[in-house]
Amino acid sequence: MRVLVTGGAGFIGSHVVEALAERGHEPIVFDVREDPASDVRNDAAVARALSGVDAVCHQAAMVGLGNGVDDAPEYVSRNDLGTAVLLSAMAAAGVRRLVLAGSMVVYGEGRYECPRHGVVRPGPRAVDDLDGGRFEPVCPQCGAELAPGLVGEDAPLDPRNVYATTKLAQEHLTAAWARATGGTAVSLRYHNVYGPRMPRDTPYAGVASFFRSALARGESPRVFEDGRQRRDFVHVRDVAAANAVALEAEGRPGVLAAYNTGSGEPHTVGEMARALADAHGGPVPVVTGEYRLGDVRHITADSSRLRAELGWKPEVAFTEGMREFAGAPLRGR
């Protein structure tokens, strides 16, 4: 297939390009890093880029948590307007296959179980609790401690910040495109992707990049909260392979299929910081007790649907991946 990869010069996109080429496809990079005119909001440039294309792998996005609502217009413009322009151009060009870079942030908090009330959904954490070092959500009915678990694709969607809201809007736009055109669409809900070529020293990078950048400067990684927040760290090459598999799958016309894309092995942020520091040779992480309003406490994936339906499985183990990442070069913004 001839595949247009939006954001194909970026962190994940560049690995997707490599994975597609290795599997015999022809990836076409569309990225403002290589050409300022290659912006998914530029309808004329997108239309030209889609000529002769069989499928699109849509990685271009403004990523990160977002700074309150101050940068909401920029997030909405880049992520949602950009996606709408792309989908409109695909409909006009007759391109009917799309894989979207989704995100686990659409769930908000992960899955929690109360010993008395079963599965519950705690609301956003209160500032007073965070200031007091009370980071764990409690049962909204009885206030009991909760046990975190794996979240599946059928969980209710509850984005908790501007970035998360735009990622969910991308899915809704893509689903509408699929219904209107009979196209096949997949959203890969990435968990915490890490690996070579992560951007350094930018507010929009993942926590792994923050820690890796600090270590490169000879500084201790600064771990927020108490370091016990659970995440699923998945290697970028595994994510790239998932994109290739999803593009090659037969798919269901007119339907958006969503798949969690994670390693399936939860680790705490503190564990990740220690593993990275150990592999780098120090310095040791520092737990600060700081927090970012809008962050969730625990979010880890059940990626069994992706394994069962598309035959994908992660290949890079946590320890191996952190050892490689500790010595891998980072890139500029």
Side-chain angles (χ1 to χ4, degrees):
M1 285 187 292
R2 196 165 192 257
V3 183
L4 183 69
V5 183
T6 69
F11 166 44
I12 298 175
S14 63
H15 286 274
V16 170
V17 167
E18 291 178 357
L20 291 173
E22 288 170 0
R23 297 169 77 100
H25 300 294
E26 183 186 355
I28 308 299
V29 174
F30 187 85
D31 196 303
V32 291
R33 296 172 185 83
E34 294 197 344
D35 178 4
S38 295
D39 188 317
V40 288
R41 296 169 293 182
N42 183 333
D43 52 359
V46 171
R48 288 193 298 270
L50 286 170
S51 178
V53 162
D54 302 301
V56 173
C57 189
H58 185 27
Q59 305 293 317
M62 183 176 178
V63 300
L65 177 63
N67 181 21
V69 295
D70 294 343
D71 47 10
E74 189 71 8
Y75 271 102
V76 172
S77 176
R78 291 181 180 273
N79 296 354
D80 299 337
L81 175 60
T83 298
V85 170
L86 173 66
L87 293 171
S88 177
M90 289 177 64
V95 180
R96 297 292 184 262
R97 184 175 294 270
L98 172 69
V99 172
L100 171 69
S103 175
M104 53 82 183
V105 295
V106 298
Y107 297 115
E109 286 284 354
R111 185 181 188 274
Y112 293 90
E113 191 164 350
C114 171
R116 289 182 57 194
H117 296 102
V119 176
V120 295
R121 291 189 60 77
R125 296 180 293 172
V127 171
D128 287 347
D129 287 335
L130 295 170
D131 285 341
R134 297 180 295 276
F135 302 118
E136 292 289 347
V138 296
C139 177
Q141 299 181 50
C142 68
E145 293 185 7
L146 301 175
L150 300 181
V151 61
E153 290 89 348
D154 297 326
L157 303 179
D158 183 20
R160 298 286 177 94
N161 55 61
V162 168
Y163 169 63
T165 302
T166 66
K167 295 307 289 184
L168 181 54
Q170 283 186 308
E171 288 197 358
H172 288 318
L173 288 166
T174 300
W177 166 84
R179 286 192 297 271
T181 64
T184 61
V186 170
S187 177
L188 297 176
R189 291 174 179 166
Y190 300 160
H191 280 250
N192 288 69
V193 186
Y194 74 96
R197 302 180 209 148
M198 282 196 86
R200 67 167 66 87
D201 297 325
T202 165
Y204 304 107
V207 65
S209 175
F210 288 144
F211 294 166
R212 176 67 178 77
S213 296
L215 290 166
R217 295 191 300 267
E219 301 171 1
S220 295
R222 295 176 58 82
V223 181
F224 280 14
E225 301 188 18
D226 58 4
R228 297 176 184 171
Q229 55 271 47
R230 289 157 54 97
R231 296 291 188 269
D232 185 319
F233 299 100
V234 59
H235 196 278
V236 66
R237 287 196 299 273
D238 286 332
V239 169
N243 276 272
V245 167
L247 280 166
E248 293 166 353
E250 184 173 345
R252 293 174 56 197
V255 175
L256 171 67
Y259 295 99
N260 287 332
T261 309
S263 70
E265 296 182 359
H267 290 274
T268 68
V269 172
E271 286 175 334
M272 188 271 285
R274 288 191 297 273
L276 196 55
D278 288 347
H280 191 270
V284 298
V286 174
V287 178
T288 69
E290 298 171 82
Y291 64 86
R292 297 194 307 177
L293 196 62
D295 267 347
V296 298
R297 178 61 172 174
H298 304 295
I299 177 68
T300 53
D302 177 357
S303 299
S304 58
R305 179 182 291 181
L306 182 56
R307 297 178 186 228
E309 295 187 8
L310 300 188
W312 170 89
K313 65 177 182 178
E315 301 290 346
V316 183
F318 178 77
T319 302
E320 171 194 345
M322 289 298 163
R323 186 182 302 117
E324 177 199 23
F325 183 47
L330 299 176
R331 60 188 294 164
R333 301 186 182 192

